[in-house]
Amino acid sequence: MTTNAARLRAGDPCAFVVFGAMGDLTRRKLLPALYNLQANGLLPREFAFVGVARRALDDAAYRDYAAAAAHELASRPAGAAPQADFTARVHYVKGDFEDPATYEAIAKTLAHAAHEHGTQGNALFYLATPPGEFSIIVRGLAGAGLTRQDAGWRRVVVEKPFGHDLESARALNRELTGVLAEGQIFRIDHYLGKETVQNLMVFRFANGMFEPIWNRRYVDHVQITVAEELGVEGRGAYYEQAGVVRDLVQNHMLQLLALVAMEPPSTLAPEAVRNEKVKVLEAIRSMEPEQVLRDAVRGQYGAGVVEGKKVPAYRDEPGVSPTSQTETFAALRLLVENWRWAGVPFYLRSGKRLARRDTQISIQLRRPPLLLFEEAGIAQIEPNRIDVLVQPEEAISISMKAKRPGPAIVLEQVKLDFSYARFGPLPPATGYERLLHDVMVGDPGLFHRADLVEASWRIVTPVLDLWSTLPARDFPSYDAGSWGPAASFELLARDGRRWVNPG
């Protein structure tokens, strides 16, 4: 568990309804996260789980499925008795999402859950389905009266990708808000459940040494890297429709940028925080075609070696076209045009089949003047840098200069660092525990609001539009196991900078 359970209350009584109950997300993330919440005393006692899928199963068969998933993947087993209690609260509804009878069956199951498990009429609907089914399910819920909050709250959790571009995101928002209030919609991004991401605001605003220098006067530039060593792992058909910009840049990476660049909110209330994040994204100008050609880089991995093993090129992956134009790497140079950040470039890069798995934010400060040290023969001084490591390690480090012991002035790069491991052994988590708990208590702070989603699509849609009309001539453009195409290094070299490669 990634939060301090002693300072949190258990979630509100509710029924947790999952559409796509037989999918990988439910098995690998949602069911284990719920077991972890129970082990930490954060799952309400008055709780029921309702799985909805097309496969022909009954309650008993699905209970076996849920128990097996938790046994295999939950990091905090609750013990035999609590697990048995959880499993007894699991129910299953078979049906097509297009069929009104499915929603009638769900309504009956919710009524049973309110009577047998004390859920008080509260229901959380989780759409763990392909995006094409979001609108179908929400219309089905509304048609059956399941979105009305007459006798308890009703909330809908929507997984990414939230739209395919700006136009489709706006259309989906209209569809959702046509039958739901904005306060009922929780657009989830599991990255925001990670401890280091949540710590960014505390790091900035609770430490007087950082906030005074967190601006264009002291910061030279900011880098955000989300690197994956894995390929598409059997998801070639999905990835052909997505690409790295839709899969990671539009959501995860722009959220990280917003947290780094936002102004201090007036309070920690969810809407105050979300207001400041939206302002950051609205301050990033949409790229004109010429700027896309200059400040956006795409790439696609070829064959290579990762961890000593040969791996195939993207175009040789199952489900991928042999002439695919889908990008598996992207790098962007963005400017936040407000008083705090004017003139400070934010460099974003993300890719598959890179040298290692790492998510890191690097804030590089301006170089100190050299004249003072020239007489000591020092030709260059590396600037100070603050690195926020999000995964796989969760840590924060500050790179600075110190004098090496001895009679001469010899500068050495040293690090002041903090790792969450120093709090003692922390059990692994899925990243969903905090977010699911927040939905159950009605806290939307770590979820996307409609205007934030549209602001992020406004930034990347011009890039996607140009790339779709201008085929890449150099794909594949980087070897698997490298740090991406040469053009991404040239993007920074043009500004006299270079990427900070994690590790």
Side-chain angles (χ1 to χ4, degrees), residues 150-390:
D150 303 331
W153 53 255
R154 300 294 166 98
R155 297 167 187 156
V156 176
V157 181
V158 183
E159 269 282 350
K160 76 173 186 71
F162 195 85
H164 193 71
D165 53 19
L166 179 57
E167 183 178 350
S168 62
R170 285 173 172 166
L172 182 54
N173 277 332
R174 288 193 297 268
E175 188 88 40
L176 293 178
T177 55
V179 295
L180 296 163
E182 177 64 31
Q184 292 178 270
I185 305 168
F186 288 72
R187 302 170 186 86
I188 194 167
D189 182 345
H190 74 274
Y191 255 56
L192 299 187
K194 294 182 179 297
E195 196 66 52
T196 313
V197 174
Q198 297 174 44
N199 195 40
L200 271 171
M201 283 202 301
V202 175
F203 179 72
R204 284 186 56 190
F205 304 135
N207 294 294
M209 69 181 79
F210 297 120
E211 183 56 23
I213 65 169
W214 212 267
N215 54 60
R216 60 179 179 164
R217 182 176 179 184
Y218 296 99
V219 175
D220 179 77
H221 72 278
V222 177
Q223 298 182 22
I224 303 176
T225 293
V226 178
E228 298 181 297
E229 64 186 22
L230 297 177
V232 292
E233 304 303 301
R235 298 165 64 235
Y238 160 76
Y239 212 80
E240 280 288 87
Q241 302 301 315
V244 73
V245 172
R246 291 185 174 93
D247 192 44
L248 281 170
V249 177
Q250 179 269 330
N251 37 71
H252 300 336
M253 299 196 74
L254 288 177
Q255 287 304 304
L256 293 177
L257 185 155
L259 285 167
V260 170
M262 64 185 281
E263 293 294 323
S266 56
T267 72
L268 291 179
E271 293 312 311
V273 174
R274 297 205 290 184
N275 288 343
E276 297 302 333
K277 289 165 66 177
V278 169
K279 290 177 186 177
V280 171
L281 298 186
E282 288 178 341
I284 299 174
R285 186 177 306 192
S286 296
M287 291 188 187
E288 297 296 328
E290 296 79 8
Q291 187 181 357
V292 173
L293 293 173
R294 184 180 69 247
D295 292 342
V297 172
R298 56 180 158 170
Q300 187 186 92
Y301 66 82
V305 178
V306 176
E307 293 186 339
K309 297 180 180 179
K310 292 184 178 180
V311 295
Y314 174 73
R315 290 177 175 180
D316 294 328
E317 300 274 14
V320 174
S321 166
T323 59
S324 173
Q325 285 290 314
T326 300
E327 82 286 351
T328 63
F329 177 98
L332 303 177
R333 181 185 186 272
L334 301 176
L335 293 173
V336 179
E337 298 188 23
N338 59 22
W339 280 105
R340 180 183 288 264
W341 296 111
V344 177
F346 285 71
Y347 300 101
L348 279 60
R349 69 170 170 174
S350 182
K352 288 193 172 292
R353 286 292 189 213
L354 296 182
R356 56 175 288 179
R357 174 176 176 256
D358 247 304
T359 297
Q360 178 170 310
I361 303 164
S362 296
I363 298 95
Q364 183 161 304
L365 304 184
R366 295 192 178 277
R367 293 182 183 276
L370 185 61
L371 181 61
L372 178 64
F373 297 97
E374 280 186 343
E375 292 183 1
I378 296 171
Q380 183 176 352
I381 300 178
E382 286 295 316
N384 301 136
R385 197 178 72 236
I386 302 169
D387 294 326
V388 180
L389 285 66
V390 178

Side-chain angles (χ1 to χ4, degrees), residues 5-179:
R7 303 182 67 179
L8 295 176
R9 66 177 177 87
D12 296 339
C14 65
F16 191 108
V17 183
V18 176
F19 290 86
M22 298 301 297
D24 196 51
L25 173 63
T26 302
R27 187 184 74 86
R28 294 180 57 248
K29 301 295 185 181
L30 302 184
L31 285 166
L34 291 171
Y35 269 79
N36 291 342
L37 285 171
Q38 184 179 39
N40 284 275
L42 295 175
L43 198 67
R45 173 67 185 166
E46 302 84 2
F47 177 84
F49 181 94
V50 182
V52 184
R54 296 180 175 89
R55 192 174 304 182
L57 296 174
D58 57 15
D59 284 0
Y62 192 75
R63 286 170 181 169
D64 291 341
Y65 176 87
H71 178 75
E72 177 186 357
L73 298 166
S75 59
R76 289 292 301 273
Q83 285 190 21
D85 178 69
F86 179 94
T87 304
R89 296 170 179 274
V90 171
H91 303 273
Y92 184 80
V93 172
K94 174 195 174 297
D96 289 327
F97 302 153
E98 301 87 352
D99 187 353
T102 301
Y103 301 92
E104 294 174 9
I106 293 171
K108 292 179 181 177
T109 304
L110 291 178
H112 172 78
H115 181 263
E116 292 295 322
H117 306 305
T119 59
Q120 300 181 18
N122 299 328
L124 184 168
F125 301 103
Y126 199 113
L127 311 189
T129 67
E133 296 182 307
F134 292 168
S135 296
I136 295 169
I137 294 169
V138 170
R139 286 197 298 267
L141 291 171
L146 293 174
T147 57
R148 293 200 304 265
Q149 303 191 90
D150 303 331
W153 53 255
R154 300 294 166 98
R155 297 167 187 156
V156 176
V157 181
V158 183
E159 269 282 350
K160 76 173 186 71
F162 195 85
H164 193 71
D165 53 19
L166 179 57
E167 183 178 350
S168 62
R170 285 173 172 166
L172 182 54
N173 277 332
R174 288 193 297 268
E175 188 88 40
L176 293 178
T177 55
V179 295

